[in-house]
Amino acid sequence: MNLFETLGSILNEGCESTIVTRKLPDGRLVNVVSFRNNNVKDKAAEYIQPFTVTGTPQELDDSFAFVLRVPLEKTQGLLSSMEEYEKSLALAEKNRKEALDKKAAEKKAADAAAKKAEKKAAKTAEQLAMTPALEFGDDSEDETEKPEPEQDDLPE
């Protein structure tokens, strides 16, 4: 497989690789390959060490893409996991904020309902205070003295 076919099959959107090549005095080439994902904001991604491949131009032509595949796949997997983790953190933060906003809205609604009920109770108390009291007779039985029947009125 060719180098660019290998890179094309490994790289995801937002990912990039950088290859720096230096020629040694003996004619061999040292290639330093770094790999990053522009979607990952975590500083830990900056500490991923570059991969180094050294060989003659012929050796590199024959096997560079093959040798590069495994380290790049592993790095790509790590960076993809970091990207997914960051997305899940962002989603969790969004959900937390929504929950806090919902809780605040519920508290505000409950406070408004309590205040409304308090005003209604105060108004009802005020209306009751302004309503004149009605006087009714005493329902208790009065013990009034009944005239004693006279002796003349008694049946014989």
Side-chain angles (χ1 to χ4, degrees):
M1 184 177 264
N2 294 327
L3 174 62
F4 293 102
E5 288 174 351
T6 300
L7 291 174
S9 69
I10 296 171
L11 292 176
N12 290 336
E13 188 174 327
C15 296
E16 64 183 46
S17 69
T18 303
I19 302 173
V20 178
T21 304
R22 182 178 65 163
K23 187 172 184 177
L24 298 175
D26 64 2
R28 292 181 308 144
L29 301 174
V30 176
N31 295 279
V32 178
V33 183
S34 62
F35 193 64
R36 64 181 232 176
N37 183 330
N38 294 323
N39 298 326
V40 175
K41 306 299 180 224
D42 192 323
K43 294 287 184 191
E46 295 175 14
Y47 295 103
I48 296 174
Q49 295 296 313
F51 179 70
T52 304
V53 180
T54 304
T56 65
Q58 181 60 43
E59 291 171 336
L60 294 172
D61 278 342
D62 292 343
S63 62
F64 186 68
F66 177 76
V67 170
L68 196 61
R69 181 179 252 324
V70 173
L72 286 182
E73 283 177 346
K74 287 183 178 185
T75 305
Q76 170 67 28
L78 174 64
L79 292 171
S80 292
S81 295
M82 292 174 82
E83 182 180 3
E84 289 302 314
Y85 178 72
E86 287 177 351
K87 286 178 183 179
S88 67
L89 281 179
L91 180 61
E93 179 61 24
K94 178 185 172 197
N95 290 341
R96 185 189 70 80
K97 186 178 182 312
E98 287 175 357
L100 287 174
D101 290 347
K102 183 179 177 183
K103 188 175 182 179
E106 288 172 352
K107 184 180 182 329
K108 185 177 179 180
D111 289 348
K115 191 172 184 178
K116 185 177 178 180
E118 191 177 294
K119 282 183 179 180
K120 185 176 179 180
K123 187 175 180 180
T124 302
E126 184 181 318
Q127 288 174 344
L128 286 175
M130 294 177 66
T131 304
L134 299 176
E135 294 185 25
F136 293 99
D138 190 1
D139 288 346
S140 64
E141 292 185 25
D142 287 336
E143 302 249 348
T144 57
E145 290 188 31
K146 295 184 184 176
E148 299 254 347
E150 293 190 23
Q151 294 283 350
D152 295 339
D153 293 336
L154 289 176
E156 298 187 25

